[in-house]
């Protein structure tokens, strides 16, 4: 079984968050968590798998 890897993480508006060496979904989640902890990403942000890239979305629920 092969673990999926991703080269790109984008925001829903198309801005680039990450582009580089292939990373796993788990590694991408750690990057997102660290950005949230630093305050550079909103707390309700989460990753969505979209074909061959990951997209950062914001949970709009109150």
């Amino acid at each position: 079984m092969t673990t999926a890897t991703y080269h790109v993480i984008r925001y829903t508006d198309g801005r680039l968050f990450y582009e580089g060496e292939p990373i796993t979904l788990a590694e991408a989640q750690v990057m997102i968590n660290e950005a949230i902890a630093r305050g550079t990403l909103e707390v309700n942000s989460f990753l969505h798998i979209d074909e061959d890239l990951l997209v950062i979305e914001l949970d709009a629920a109150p």
Side-chain angles (χ1 to χ4, degrees), residues 40-62:
T40 58
L41 200 56
E42 293 187 45
V43 172
N44 292 336
S45 299
F46 65 95
L47 289 169
H48 169 80
I49 300 171
D50 186 14
E51 305 267 335
D52 59 346
L53 66 102
L54 297 171
V55 178
I56 298 172
E57 297 191 15
L58 179 63
D59 183 8

Side-chain angles (χ1 to χ4, degrees), residues 15-34:
R15 292 179 295 137
L16 189 62
F17 178 82
Y18 172 82
E19 183 174 42
E21 294 294 318
I23 58 174
T24 65
L25 181 59
E27 291 167 325
Q29 186 62 58
V30 169
M31 290 173 70
I32 298 304
N33 291 349
E34 289 173 348

